[in-house]
Amino acid sequence: MVMHTSGGTFCKALDKGVELWLLDPHTEPCLSHAPLGSPAGPPVFVAAIKDGQIVGKVVYLPVPILLDRARALGAICMDLEILPAFRGLKLFRTMLAVGEKACSDLGICIILGLPNGNSYLPGVKRAGFQLMGVLPFRVKPVTLDSFIRQYIPVAFLAAACRVAVSSFSALYTRLFCGFGRPRFSLVQSAADLDVDGLTSLLEQADRDVSNSIVRTYDYFVWRYRHPAYFFLSAAGGDALLVGCCLQKEGRSIGFICDILLDGSSKSLNSGKRLVQEAERIFRTRRADLCIGLFQTGTPRSAVLKKAGFLRVPDRFMERKMWVIFKDIAHAENPLQDFSQWSLTVSDFDVTPYYDYEEMVLD
């Protein structure tokens, strides 16, 4: 279990001596890795506490949002966990109700979520969330390095296989992206990007959609503040790619976090070339796969498709990337039309993948 510091706002007493509190996230060491410092405001932290120990929690991250082309304030529901011994006390619904009331008091009008398999059905069936859509996986082999190292013990043969796979992947990429070296710039920190150029590109990237999380310059730099992210910019300033390598179960996976395009046909080609360069970076870091998760029918998805990425059928996905929402302001216009939204998995996954410790309620 996790101890919490003193303080906070008492909300409700439940069975078995459990109390619901709104805690200050800045004073809780278990959230030292979490979305603190967001330009949209501090997160709302709801905790179920018994005898000074946290037995359940949910966090809401405020985000600037565009609803029907009007600026508003939304929130991402994340880090929902309950200790097994305290399930069955209606903690799930009660914590969400307390969190939604706190969000409403802050002027938040919509809550978005990207739930796992454990919380998807309860969230939709019991907590009043609605399914908006599913973010599809698009993948492309890069080196298959960990697979080769695992199943080919002979060093010479393993090296030969790596060279063969890498060469094939490079040729495959060239066939889709074209030959010749594109002009681009590689930046290792979002803060080092050109302010005016990035601001202009962020303003143009999602101008044709009615609803989205607003990627302001400050929010973009905060979101990608971890040093593991890299940024590839096209020479003409019409496209920008954000990438990183994820370490998962002993494997390195190249992850395309975001692609910003100015909406021109030229930017689609520039984006395709940036994907090609990102693959080269992933290959040098011995990533096995390159992955992107963008809505079907969007320019981001079109870039991956043009670059030779294949969509993984939903039935083969280990877990679906459901996008759910709850309209707590009761907007007049329907919000569940996924085609009117622009969302990426990076809009939801605000916890860095690397050296931060997740809060484990065990």
Side-chain angles (χ1 to χ4, degrees):
M1 293 188 183
V2 178
M3 297 295 295
H4 83 99
T5 59
S6 59
T9 302
F10 172 78
C11 297
K12 192 171 185 178
L14 302 176
D15 295 338
K16 293 188 177 181
V18 178
E19 298 177 341
L20 290 187
W21 287 72
L22 280 171
L23 301 182
D24 181 355
H26 297 87
T27 65
E28 299 299 321
C30 60
L31 289 185
S32 61
H33 70 284
L36 298 176
S38 168
V44 174
F45 181 22
V46 182
I49 297 174
K50 179 177 174 146
D51 299 331
Q53 296 176 321
I54 297 176
V55 298
K57 70 178 178 71
V58 63
V59 178
Y60 296 86
L61 169 70
V63 290
I65 203 164
L66 194 70
L67 293 178
D68 199 21
R69 301 185 184 279
R71 287 291 185 99
L73 186 63
I76 303 295
C77 181
M78 54 187 289
D79 287 353
L80 177 57
E81 296 175 287
I82 300 171
L83 274 175
F86 293 87
R87 291 167 188 167
L89 300 179
K90 297 184 179 179
L91 271 181
F92 187 95
R93 279 181 290 181
T94 311
M95 285 196 307
L96 291 183
V98 169
E100 288 164 15
K101 173 64 168 59
C103 287
S104 181
D105 291 343
L106 292 174
I108 290 169
C109 56
I110 185 173
I111 297 173
L112 301 171
L114 199 72
N116 58 29
N118 294 326
S119 55
Y120 169 69
L121 286 178
V124 171
K125 289 188 174 182
R126 298 202 298 268
F129 280 80
Q130 299 180 57
L131 174 64
M132 187 188 300
V134 177
L135 291 175
F137 274 85
R138 286 192 177 273
V139 302
K140 188 174 179 182
V142 180
T143 63
L144 300 180
D145 184 70
S146 65
F147 177 85
I148 291 171
R149 283 188 282 108
Q150 182 177 356
Y151 292 103
I152 305 180
V154 181
F156 174 76
L157 292 178
C161 288
R162 279 198 295 269
V163 170
V165 172
S166 180
S167 299
F168 174 79
S169 297
L171 178 59
Y172 180 77
T173 297
R174 293 292 183 182
L175 290 174
F176 275 92
C177 295
F179 291 85
R181 189 171 182 82
R183 294 175 59 203
F184 66 90
S185 59
L186 172 64
V187 178
Q188 297 291 348
S189 169
D192 293 332
L193 293 168
D194 176 68
V195 177
D196 294 335
L198 176 57
T199 301
S200 175
L201 192 54
L202 288 167
E203 290 173 350
Q204 297 177 72
D206 296 316
R207 61 187 177 186
D208 295 330
V209 298
S210 300
N211 310 311
S212 67
I213 290 178
V214 180
R215 296 173 178 86
T216 62
Y217 173 81
D218 289 340
Y219 187 81
F220 185 89
V221 172
W222 169 80
R223 169 62 188 91
Y224 296 116
R225 65 198 183 278
H226 194 278
Y229 293 111
F230 65 84
F231 306 84
L232 289 167
S233 178
D238 55 356
L240 176 73
L241 181 147
V242 185
C244 67
C245 272
L246 314 181
Q247 304 298 324
K248 185 176 181 182
E249 297 175 357
R251 302 177 65 187
S252 178
I253 299 174
F255 187 57
I256 296 178
C257 308
D258 207 345
I259 304 173
L260 300 179
L261 307 167
D262 69 7
S264 66
S265 56
K266 180 175 177 287
S267 71
L268 288 174
N269 187 58
S270 297
K272 185 173 64 172
R273 291 298 186 94
L274 293 181
V275 171
Q276 173 190 14
E277 183 59 25
E279 290 177 43
R280 188 192 66 79
I281 293 174
F282 295 144
R283 196 174 297 121
T284 61
R285 299 179 184 182
R286 291 192 173 183
D288 292 341
L289 297 172
C290 186
I291 295 177
L293 293 94
F294 303 117
Q295 288 160 273
T296 300
T298 62
R300 293 177 176 91
S301 179
V303 164
L304 294 187
K305 188 175 180 180
K306 286 176 178 291
F309 281 63
L310 301 176
R311 177 172 176 175
V312 179
D314 289 347
R315 64 180 178 274
F316 295 135
M317 289 173 59
E318 236 175 77
R319 73 158 276 213
K320 292 183 180 179
M321 291 293 177
W322 298 286
V323 179
I324 62 175
F325 79 100
K326 189 170 185 179
D327 176 15
I328 60 176
H330 308 292
E332 295 180 2
N333 298 322
L335 300 173
Q336 65 266 30
D337 185 355
F338 206 28
S339 65
Q340 295 301 309
W341 282 83
S342 175
L343 296 169
T344 74
V345 71
S346 293
D347 291 325
F348 296 88
D349 193 0
V350 295
T351 303
Y353 291 99
Y354 309 97
D355 22 341
Y356 293 100
E357 291 289 333
E358 292 283 356
M359 177 179 176
V360 179
L361 292 180
D362 289 328

XYZ file of all heavy atoms in Angstrom, residues 251-298:
373
model
N 12.126 -5.506 -24.967
C 12.158 -5.136 -26.377
C 12.156 -3.622 -26.517
O 11.614 -2.896 -25.695
C 10.940 -5.715 -27.117
C 10.817 -7.212 -27.036
C 9.552 -7.686 -27.728
N 9.602 -7.417 -29.157
C 8.566 -7.600 -29.984
N 7.412 -8.020 -29.499
N 8.692 -7.360 -31.267
N 12.760 -3.145 -27.590
C 12.733 -1.728 -27.914
C 11.746 -1.532 -29.059
O 11.808 -2.220 -30.077
C 14.132 -1.249 -28.325
O 14.098 0.117 -28.674
N 10.821 -0.598 -28.877
C 9.793 -0.337 -29.874
C 9.831 1.137 -30.239
O 9.797 2.005 -29.357
C 8.396 -0.707 -29.340
C 8.335 -2.194 -29.002
C 7.306 -0.351 -30.352
C 7.051 -2.621 -28.326
N 9.915 1.438 -31.515
C 9.863 2.816 -31.978
C 8.420 3.299 -31.983
O 7.544 2.659 -32.570
N 8.172 4.422 -31.334
C 6.813 4.924 -31.193
C 6.713 6.314 -31.801
O 7.435 7.231 -31.399
C 6.420 4.963 -29.715
C 4.985 5.296 -29.464
C 3.971 4.532 -30.011
C 4.639 6.378 -28.669
C 2.636 4.841 -29.782
C 3.315 6.692 -28.423
C 2.310 5.917 -28.988
N 5.844 6.460 -32.794
C 5.575 7.771 -33.379
C 4.453 8.404 -32.569
O 3.291 7.996 -32.658
C 5.209 7.655 -34.864
C 6.408 7.103 -35.642
C 4.795 9.016 -35.424
C 6.153 6.907 -37.118
N 4.803 9.371 -31.750
C 3.847 9.954 -30.803
C 2.889 10.915 -31.490
O 1.704 10.948 -31.171
C 4.597 10.709 -29.705
S 5.884 9.747 -28.891
N 3.392 11.717 -32.408
C 2.543 12.709 -33.054
C 3.162 13.120 -34.381
O 4.387 13.026 -34.572
C 2.386 13.945 -32.152
C 1.083 14.684 -32.403
O 0.431 14.420 -33.441
O 0.714 15.530 -31.580
N 2.311 13.542 -35.295
C 2.743 14.108 -36.577
C 1.911 15.355 -36.799
O 0.680 15.290 -36.872
C 2.537 13.129 -37.752
C 3.257 11.808 -37.499
C 3.033 13.750 -39.052
C 2.957 10.731 -38.538
N 2.563 16.497 -36.893
C 1.879 17.752 -37.156
C 2.051 18.114 -38.622
O 3.168 18.107 -39.141
C 2.438 18.871 -36.276
C 2.346 18.678 -34.761
C 2.973 19.858 -34.039
C 0.904 18.490 -34.324
N 0.962 18.424 -39.299
C 0.966 18.778 -40.713
C 0.195 20.078 -40.897
O -0.777 20.338 -40.184
C 0.312 17.672 -41.547
C 0.853 16.254 -41.340
C -0.088 15.233 -41.965
C 2.250 16.123 -41.938
N 0.607 20.889 -41.873
C -0.088 22.167 -42.067
C -1.315 22.047 -42.962
O -1.979 23.044 -43.253
C 0.869 23.233 -42.601
C 1.336 22.967 -44.041
O 0.821 22.022 -44.682
O 2.209 23.716 -44.519
N -1.627 20.827 -43.402
C -2.832 20.612 -44.190
C -2.629 20.622 -45.687
O -3.543 20.271 -46.442
N -1.464 20.996 -46.169
C -1.197 21.027 -47.604
C -0.814 19.636 -48.100
O -0.392 18.773 -47.326
C -0.077 22.022 -47.915
O 1.149 21.581 -47.346
N -0.947 19.420 -49.418
C -0.539 18.137 -49.997
C 0.966 17.952 -49.863
O 1.460 16.833 -49.712
C -0.952 18.065 -51.467
O -0.424 19.167 -52.192
N 1.705 19.047 -49.882
C 3.155 18.981 -49.710
C 3.513 18.465 -48.326
O 4.484 17.721 -48.154
C 3.765 20.365 -49.936
C 5.292 20.419 -49.788
C 5.801 21.797 -50.151
C 7.312 21.892 -49.945
N 7.663 21.935 -48.517
N 2.713 18.842 -47.312
C 3.021 18.410 -45.949
C 2.823 16.910 -45.783
O 3.497 16.283 -44.968
C 2.153 19.173 -44.938
O 0.802 18.767 -45.007
N 1.894 16.310 -46.559
C 1.723 14.856 -46.504
C 2.986 14.151 -46.965
O 3.427 13.165 -46.368
C 0.538 14.428 -47.366
C -0.856 14.774 -46.833
C -1.914 14.409 -47.866
C -1.135 14.064 -45.521
N 3.590 14.672 -48.040
C 4.836 14.081 -48.527
C 5.972 14.321 -47.552
O 6.801 13.435 -47.300
C 5.182 14.665 -49.897
C 6.375 13.970 -50.536
O 6.363 12.765 -50.748
N 7.414 14.739 -50.814
N 5.996 15.521 -46.951
C 7.034 15.819 -45.955
C 6.881 14.909 -44.741
O 7.865 14.396 -44.201
C 6.939 17.291 -45.517
O 7.182 18.166 -46.593
N 5.638 14.698 -44.319
C 5.400 13.817 -43.183
C 5.851 12.403 -43.461
O 6.427 11.730 -42.596
N 5.624 11.949 -44.696
C 6.058 10.604 -45.079
C 7.581 10.485 -45.012
O 8.119 9.469 -44.535
C 5.555 10.312 -46.494
C 5.832 8.912 -46.986
C 5.157 8.670 -48.331
C 5.724 9.557 -49.417
N 5.200 9.192 -50.759
N 8.271 11.519 -45.451
C 9.737 11.507 -45.382
C 10.233 11.558 -43.938
O 11.252 10.951 -43.606
C 10.298 12.699 -46.167
C 10.110 12.594 -47.686
C 10.836 11.390 -48.249
N 10.791 11.331 -49.682
C 11.723 11.808 -50.501
N 12.792 12.392 -50.000
N 11.596 11.693 -51.799
N 9.538 12.281 -43.084
C 9.928 12.323 -41.673
C 9.743 10.964 -41.012
O 10.547 10.559 -40.168
C 9.117 13.384 -40.934
C 9.379 14.844 -41.325
C 8.522 15.775 -40.490
C 10.845 15.205 -41.201
N 8.684 10.251 -41.387
C 8.490 8.891 -40.880
C 9.658 8.010 -41.315
O 10.170 7.187 -40.538
C 7.154 8.308 -41.375
C 7.055 6.821 -41.046
C 5.988 9.058 -40.749
N 10.096 8.173 -42.564
C 11.240 7.412 -43.067
C 12.489 7.676 -42.223
O 13.215 6.744 -41.851
C 11.513 7.805 -44.519
C 12.774 7.214 -45.107
C 13.116 7.828 -46.460
O 12.570 8.867 -46.838
N 13.996 7.187 -47.180
N 12.724 8.932 -41.884
C 13.898 9.260 -41.076
C 13.745 8.740 -39.648
O 14.711 8.290 -39.025
C 14.128 10.772 -41.075
C 15.365 11.221 -40.316
C 16.655 10.614 -40.863
O 16.685 10.252 -42.057
O 17.622 10.505 -40.090
N 12.523 8.790 -39.120
C 12.283 8.254 -37.779
C 12.580 6.758 -37.745
O 13.157 6.248 -36.778
C 10.837 8.514 -37.360
N 12.221 6.044 -38.807
C 12.524 4.615 -38.880
C 14.033 4.375 -38.838
O 14.504 3.425 -38.203
C 11.940 4.021 -40.153
C 10.423 3.941 -40.169
C 9.913 3.417 -41.492
O 10.494 2.452 -42.027
O 8.931 3.977 -42.007
N 14.776 5.239 -39.515
C 16.241 5.088 -39.496
C 16.779 5.269 -38.080
O 17.656 4.514 -37.634
C 16.884 6.114 -40.436
C 18.388 5.913 -40.628
C 19.022 7.094 -41.318
N 18.970 8.281 -40.477
C 19.807 8.518 -39.473
N 20.753 7.633 -39.170
N 19.704 9.618 -38.767
N 16.225 6.241 -37.348
C 16.645 6.459 -35.962
C 16.288 5.252 -35.103
O 17.096 4.774 -34.297
C 15.985 7.739 -35.412
C 16.528 8.964 -36.147
C 16.220 7.867 -33.902
C 15.836 10.257 -35.777
N 15.089 4.734 -35.282
C 14.678 3.548 -34.518
C 15.578 2.361 -34.845
O 15.903 1.554 -33.983
C 13.221 3.200 -34.824
C 12.235 4.239 -34.373
C 11.102 4.516 -35.126
C 12.434 4.940 -33.194
C 10.191 5.468 -34.712
C 11.527 5.897 -32.772
C 10.405 6.161 -33.532
N 15.967 2.247 -36.107
C 16.809 1.120 -36.521
C 18.168 1.193 -35.844
O 18.720 0.173 -35.408
C 16.950 1.130 -38.044
C 17.461 -0.176 -38.642
C 17.426 -0.127 -40.171
N 16.066 0.023 -40.641
C 15.641 1.032 -41.402
N 16.465 1.984 -41.763
N 14.385 1.091 -41.786
N 18.737 2.392 -35.735
C 20.034 2.540 -35.065
C 19.937 2.213 -33.571
O 20.927 1.850 -32.951
C 20.585 3.966 -35.234
O 19.675 4.899 -34.647
C 20.778 4.291 -36.710
N 18.728 2.338 -33.022
C 18.520 2.010 -31.612
C 17.992 0.586 -31.425
O 17.525 0.224 -30.355
C 17.546 3.027 -30.987
C 18.079 4.452 -31.042
C 17.119 5.451 -30.440
N 17.625 6.814 -30.602
C 17.015 7.914 -30.147
N 15.877 7.785 -29.486
N 17.543 9.102 -30.347
N 18.044 -0.174 -32.511
C 17.665 -1.592 -32.516
C 16.224 -1.822 -32.055
O 15.937 -2.764 -31.313
C 18.628 -2.407 -31.654
C 20.027 -2.491 -32.261
C 20.866 -3.517 -31.558
N 22.141 -3.716 -32.244
C 23.050 -4.601 -31.865
N 22.815 -5.362 -30.789
N 24.182 -4.750 -32.542
N 15.354 -0.942 -32.467
C 13.934 -1.173 -32.212
C 13.431 -2.280 -33.120
O 13.881 -2.420 -34.257
C 13.149 0.111 -32.448
N 12.520 -3.102 -32.627
C 11.960 -4.185 -33.429
C 10.873 -3.692 -34.370
O 10.817 -4.072 -35.535
C 11.361 -5.266 -32.527
C 12.424 -6.005 -31.745
O 13.592 -5.942 -32.160
O 12.099 -6.632 -30.729
N 9.990 -2.860 -33.832
C 8.842 -2.402 -34.592
C 8.735 -0.889 -34.500
O 9.239 -0.266 -33.561
C 7.542 -3.010 -34.041
C 7.376 -4.524 -34.104
C 6.123 -4.932 -33.329
C 7.281 -5.003 -35.545
N 8.078 -0.316 -35.473
C 7.695 1.086 -35.422
C 6.170 1.107 -35.356
O 5.496 0.440 -36.143
C 8.199 1.807 -36.667
S 7.946 3.582 -36.632
N 5.615 1.857 -34.407
C 4.173 1.839 -34.141
C 3.617 3.256 -34.159
O 4.258 4.193 -33.686
C 3.883 1.191 -32.771
C 4.288 -0.281 -32.777
C 2.406 1.305 -32.404
C 4.089 -0.976 -31.442
N 2.422 3.398 -34.688
C 1.687 4.649 -34.623
C 0.219 4.373 -34.371
O -0.314 3.380 -34.877
N -0.444 5.206 -33.585
C -1.870 5.047 -33.287
C -2.585 6.359 -33.577
O -2.561 7.284 -32.759
C -2.095 4.655 -31.825
C -1.624 3.281 -31.377
C -0.220 3.355 -30.783
C -2.577 2.723 -30.329
N -3.182 6.445 -34.751
C -3.913 7.641 -35.153
C -5.244 7.244 -35.768
O -5.356 6.195 -36.405
C -3.096 8.470 -36.149
C -1.743 8.880 -35.638
C -0.589 8.437 -36.255
C -1.628 9.705 -34.530
C 0.657 8.806 -35.787
C -0.380 10.071 -34.050
C 0.768 9.629 -34.678
N -6.229 8.098 -35.610
C -7.564 7.806 -36.124
C -7.541 7.552 -37.625
O -6.862 8.252 -38.379
C -8.500 8.975 -35.825
C -8.879 9.121 -34.371
C -9.375 10.516 -34.079
O -8.586 11.395 -33.783
N -10.683 10.716 -34.165
N -8.305 6.567 -38.060
C -8.449 6.282 -39.479
C -9.104 7.469 -40.171
O -10.041 8.076 -39.649
C -9.311 5.022 -39.679
O -8.671 3.920 -39.030
C -9.477 4.704 -41.153
N -8.602 7.792 -41.358
C -9.182 8.886 -42.129
C -8.575 10.236 -41.855
O -8.947 11.226 -42.493
N -7.628 10.314 -40.920
C -6.971 11.582 -40.609
C -5.673 11.704 -41.403
O -5.123 10.710 -41.881
C -6.654 11.671 -39.113
O -5.735 10.607 -38.769
C -7.915 11.527 -38.282
